[in-house]
Amino acid sequence: MTALPTRTGVLGGGRMGAGIAHALLLAGCEVVVAEVSEETAAAARDRVLAAIATSVERGTTEESAEALQARLSVGIGPAALAGCGLAVEAVPEDAALKARMLGSLDEALDADAVIASNTSSMSIDELAAVTSRPARFLGMHFFNPVPASALVEVVVGARTDPALVADAREWVAQLGKTAVVVRDSPGFASSRLGIALGLEAVRMVEEGVADPADIDAAMTLGYKHPVGPLRLTDIVGLDVRLDIADYLAERLGPRFAAPQLLRDKVAAGELGRKTGRGFYAW
Ligand SMILES: NC(=O)c1ccc[n+]([C@@H]2O[C@H](COP(=O)([O-])OP(=O)(O)OC[C@H]3O[C@@H](n4cnc5c(N)ncnc54)[C@H](O)[C@@H]3O)[C@@H](O)[C@H]2O)c1
């Protein structure tokens, strides 16, 4: 059993990064969260501390908040992660930013350290190519919110060392989650299947097959999905799903072409829960 490295780091302590830092702390690691400024570092620290407080309150950890907090530190820029055996990159989904940050992270870390990107859509091979360590690079795609989700997609690049994939599986288990191993390909496993179902559900509304609530009930009651594909589209954001559909259509072909109804709703500002209207009124 390969244990998680003692010293770990997270680059970008936003919604996902703070959740990942919290999971690493609960698994017993020291965690450094690197941010962009003093202000954002303090905010990242507050997010992790809030998650720690919730875990202590709910009894999901046997450690005290003080003991967990003692293993957390924050810093500025990739250099703050020097000495970490594992660094998870969780900066915003912007190709130029990720390339710049991963290049600097590569320079800051020891040669045998592992870099994992939490990207939800970008090619792991393309991200790995900006570093000097494609064999020690892979995707670890966490889900939102991290504490409540049981899954991590371990995304394997063409040059990722198979021994690292085995380690990553074990690390995910130590984080109390289950790994699925996916070869680097557009949408990995989760987005590709989730979007396929979501797009078909939108096409069914478009064709007048059934109302959104009935389509969703077919999946929740008939297939035991926790939430139906249209309600989920509303929660995620119609604009977010349209962007992913366009990205997948470009790479995997017209089976991911977005239905006109989805484009029309996005153009009309009906983005789902965040704007009060999507396939449902919120
Ligand atoms: N939100 C989700 O549901 C979700 C799910 C899975 C994966 N992801 C992926 O996780 C990554 C992060 O997403 P998020 O939702 O946490 O975003 P977010 O905006 O909440 O957090 C990003 C953080 O990165 C920081 N940051 C920006 N530039 C930086 C820099 N140069 N150096 C260090 N820190 C910097 C920001 O200050 C911010 O705190 C993205 O790649 C996203 O695609 C998101």
Side-chain angles (χ1 to χ4, degrees), residues 227-261:
V227 53
L230 294 162
R231 184 169 289 276
L232 186 61
T233 301
D234 269 15
I235 293 169
V236 172
L238 274 65
D239 51 336
V240 174
R241 289 211 131 179
L242 177 58
D243 282 348
I244 302 173
D246 285 344
Y247 176 88
L248 293 179
E250 199 183 301
R251 286 161 180 79
L252 296 172
R255 65 193 138 139
F256 284 97
Q260 191 57 42
L261 178 61

Side-chain angles (χ1 to χ4, degrees), residues 12 14-16 35 90-93 98 101 118 120 141-142 144:
R15 175 172 266 276
M16 296 305 292
E35 262 287 342
V91 300
E93 196 80 345
K98 284 212 196 275
M101 289 300 108
N118 183 50
S120 33
H141 180 213
F142 288 79
N144 179 23

